[in-house]
Amino acid sequence: MDRPPVFHYDLGSPYAWLAAERVERVLPVRPVWRPILLGAVFQAVGRGSWGVTDRREAGMREVERRAAEYGLPPVRWPDPWPPNGLHAMRAATLAERIGCGRELALAAFRLAFTEGADLGDPEVIRLAAARASADDADAIVAGIAGQDVKDELRDNTAAAVELGVIGVPTLAVGERLFWGDDRLEEAAAACG
């Protein structure tokens, strides 16, 4: 394999959280963490979130079942969910650039899905940034308004759509895409 796998995620996705908690244990190599805007992906591919359909309750119970099966803490759903996570995704993009993207993503996922925090709240973003890198928390929060960060997140998302990503989590291993937290083992086998 010439390049590391790429883990595409959006912080508002509970399935991306499930994958984020396991991806580095399951894959034989550490992936690149790539924040993308799931709403923009949905818009580009003509899909929508199950979280705003009549499948919402069943989907939430499935996430809770999988979290328990994976040995994760009980899910505490944020209110509102799905959140307006645009600023959180910009923070993840900036954190990736400065070297703490994985840490910020895990902190934000855990705040959202194990503590029930709203990722649309700027103070929750600050807390995630502080948990990821106390030295850079203020710079991350201040930097999310930068046009370069907005452009980078937009470019990440466009590149993911061009690659064929239709949802998150998606792992790109070489030319192959593995969509869903339940496909990590299959992605790991493809890394070999």
Side-chain angles (χ1 to χ4, degrees), residues 154-185:
R154 189 176 303 114
D155 292 346
N156 284 355
T157 304
V161 169
E162 187 174 313
L163 192 64
V165 171
I166 61 168
V168 296
T170 295
L171 269 159
V173 180
E175 301 301 316
R176 296 182 63 191
L177 298 178
F178 299 89
W179 175 43
D181 81 286
D182 57 347
R183 300 214 34 224
L184 292 184
E185 288 77 11

Side-chain angles (χ1 to χ4, degrees), residues 61-137:
R61 300 301 81 80
E62 178 64 15
V63 168
E64 292 164 2
R65 183 191 67 74
R66 288 185 190 193
E69 180 182 304
Y70 299 153
L72 297 173
V75 177
R76 287 187 50 203
W77 292 94
D79 184 19
W81 182 81
N84 177 352
L86 179 60
H87 290 120
M89 293 308 298
R90 288 178 183 164
T93 302
L94 182 55
E96 187 64 34
R97 185 187 304 164
I98 63 176
C100 62
R102 171 192 170 275
E103 294 79 7
L104 183 133
L106 284 170
F109 276 132
R110 291 169 182 161
L111 280 163
F113 296 110
T114 68
E115 298 181 39
D118 175 10
L119 292 178
D121 181 342
E123 288 309 309
V124 173
I125 296 170
R126 181 180 303 285
L127 181 56
R131 288 183 182 180
S133 173
D135 295 340
D136 296 319

